[in-house]
Amino acid sequence: MTVQSINERSWTVYGQRQLDHGYTPPVPHRIDWAFWPGVGPGAEVLGDLRGKRVLDIGSGPGHHAVHLARAHRALVDGIDLSPTQHQRATAEHGTEPGVHFICADVIEHLRRAEPYDAAYGIRTFGCIDPHQLLPALRDGLTENAPLVFSALHTDSDGQSPSGTVAPREQLIRLRDEEPIPTHMWVLTPQQWEDLLTEYGFTVEAVDLLRAPQDDNPVVIQLVRARRRPHRPPVLISSRPRTHRAPVPHAAVGVGTILLGDQGLLLGRHRRGTWELPGGAVEPGESFEEAAVRELAEETGLRATRENVTLLGTLVDHMDNVPRVTVGAIVTAWEGEPADQPGERVGAWQWHSPANLPQGLFVCSAQILTAWRPDLPIDHRPAHFTPFREKS
């Protein structure tokens, strides 16, 4: 059973119990992001909502959506996966002007809906996988749209956030009722910020809201973020090392990709270009052997042929001399990269693929885009032919 199906069942049980008790919360005079009235800011953190389309994620009985429609003139879609929570909302507020309640999976809904001008969730975000919810919200919100949500930080047992981005079991508590187990992503503010940044949001503030009672350990975090505008990536330039024709016997070369925990290995040529370890294939050498030899000669790193996977061939020309470059990936090695005596490339550094330096050697640029076509690298085109995997 998936986390989503577990949580759907848990909140369906919760909604049914509230229906059985006939409990409907009143429409509040303000938005409270935590459990305690008056603690923390209210709906003002969402900005001016007049006439704007707003998504309430995990809207439950719908009272918060109604407040925003009445007090702030918002046009609110309240979405909830639980059919009993949806039943509570429509039974009490189904004819409320400016509010529309939807029983559906929010991620699927965002794929079909027109983009929203704002989105929020009140203690509901932790019930949905952020690796699925956040990219769906990125694509389902207009540029610069606010995203504000509250999420559990410390529970009633004093348990602090998880060390990893993974769900854990938590309990939904109702007075005089058996607790209902559910699964939540209980994350640190830094983890939320990292996830939001990864998926196209700018975090503006994270507030920790604490219970007014000294003996209550519960802490709720209020996260305020904004959908970043889409900007085309800045292309990383590349340039040839020289405009002279290559020596004919050196027109066949190999370039090796080493991707470690610290990033991608690049060295600086004495003429200023950044490039992958590699060089000319010597007579009688296989491409794998050339990759291993050049890696050792230029960086001091040791690998074996078995550690080399060939990507394919790239063919272009320099002053009518065909140049064939073979891209290779080295999957394991020993040692630390260091400058080697007599070599023209040194100053070896690890670079994030998302933040490559300007001025890549054109052959290295061609190999990198053959490996990762999404990299925003500008270079002269080459004909790439991938090697087939061995059956």
Side-chain angles (χ1 to χ4, degrees):
M1 184 175 289
T2 64
V3 171
Q4 176 176 309
S5 60
I6 291 171
N7 287 348
E8 180 182 359
R9 183 181 63 182
S10 299
W11 288 104
T12 299
V13 170
Y14 172 86
Q16 187 60 56
R17 290 186 184 178
Q18 297 287 38
L19 285 170
D20 293 342
H21 290 301
Y23 174 68
T24 300
V27 176
H29 297 296
R30 57 163 270 160
I31 293 290
D32 285 311
W33 300 95
F35 297 105
W36 317 285
V39 173
E44 69 272 8
V45 295
L46 286 164
D48 185 1
L49 299 179
R50 284 175 296 182
K52 293 185 177 180
R53 298 181 65 250
V54 180
L55 182 63
D56 181 344
I57 301 166
S59 52
H63 53 310
H64 297 117
V66 173
H67 166 75
L68 291 183
R70 290 180 182 175
H72 298 271
R73 300 295 185 263
L75 304 174
V76 187
D77 282 352
I79 189 164
D80 206 295
L81 189 61
S82 162
T84 55
Q85 291 285 72
H86 177 70
Q87 182 181 343
R88 295 175 70 199
T90 53
E92 188 69 20
H93 307 295
T95 60
E96 181 73 31
V99 181
H100 176 55
F101 293 109
I102 305 162
C103 184
D105 171 43
V106 64
I107 296 163
E108 291 298 324
H109 171 73
L110 284 164
R111 289 174 181 154
R112 300 187 302 269
E114 289 295 318
Y116 287 92
D117 302 311
Y120 72 100
I122 299 178
R123 304 185 300 275
T124 55
F125 250 60
C127 297
I128 308 171
D129 185 347
H131 288 298
Q132 297 183 36
L133 177 58
L134 294 179
L137 281 167
R138 174 199 60 209
D139 298 337
L141 289 173
T142 59
E143 291 188 355
N144 292 311
L147 170 63
V148 181
F149 63 91
S150 56
L152 184 64
H153 179 280
T154 304
D155 63 20
S156 57
D157 296 321
Q159 188 177 13
S160 58
S162 302
T164 59
V165 182
R168 74 185 190 200
E169 185 172 285
Q170 293 287 152
L171 296 176
I172 307 169
R173 301 183 188 273
L174 280 172
R175 183 177 297 177
D176 301 325
E177 297 271 4
E178 282 291 319
I180 305 169
T182 189
H183 284 74
M184 293 185 185
W185 280 260
V186 185
L187 309 180
T188 65
Q190 187 61 57
Q191 287 170 325
W192 278 119
E193 182 169 354
D194 291 345
L195 286 166
L196 286 158
T197 301
E198 177 183 354
Y199 289 117
F201 292 86
T202 299
V203 176
E204 297 180 339
V206 180
D207 300 318
L208 296 183
L209 309 179
R210 303 180 185 275
Q213 305 88 1
D214 292 338
D215 60 347
N216 188 343
V218 174
V219 178
I220 299 294
Q221 52 191 315
L222 176 61
V223 181
R224 292 180 251 178
R226 194 168 294 276
R227 162 74 158 81
R228 282 200 304 269
H230 173 72
R231 294 187 179 92
V234 176
L235 291 177
I236 298 165
S237 64
S238 66
R239 59 186 177 86
R241 184 185 305 149
T242 176
H243 292 290
R244 293 175 307 198
V247 178
H249 73 267
V252 178
V254 63
T256 57
I257 294 171
L258 277 74
L259 183 65
D261 293 338
Q262 304 173 70
L264 181 75
L265 185 62
L266 294 172
R268 191 78 179 247
H269 193 277
R270 65 188 181 189
R271 291 178 178 162
T273 55
W274 287 94
E275 56 190 87
L276 300 167
V281 178
E282 295 183 351
E285 243 183 359
S286 70
F287 292 126
E288 292 92 340
E289 289 167 342
V292 170
R293 175 184 54 76
E294 287 286 349
L295 185 64
E297 289 177 358
E298 290 192 331
T299 72
L301 296 175
R302 300 177 299 280
T304 66
R305 289 184 53 182
E306 290 72 23
N307 302 139
V308 179
T309 300
L310 299 179
L311 286 173
T313 57
L314 290 142
V315 180
D316 68 353
H317 65 277
M318 192 72 179
D319 287 350
N320 295 319
V321 176
R323 176 169 55 187
V324 178
T325 306
V326 174
I329 299 174
V330 176
T331 55
W333 60 86
E334 295 181 355
E336 293 293 332
D339 293 1
Q340 302 299 307
E343 291 296 319
R344 292 174 292 180
V345 183
W348 296 99
Q349 297 178 19
W350 300 98
H351 297 263
S352 167
N355 191 27
L356 295 175
Q358 298 286 341
L360 293 172
F361 176 43
V362 66
C363 293
S364 297
Q366 292 165 343
I367 292 171
L368 288 171
T369 53
W371 169 57
R372 285 270 305 273
D374 60 311
L375 291 174
I377 303 174
D378 183 29
H379 62 74
R380 189 174 68 224
H383 296 286
F384 176 61
T385 304
F387 288 116
R388 293 183 179 178
E389 294 183 0
K390 295 179 182 179
S391 57

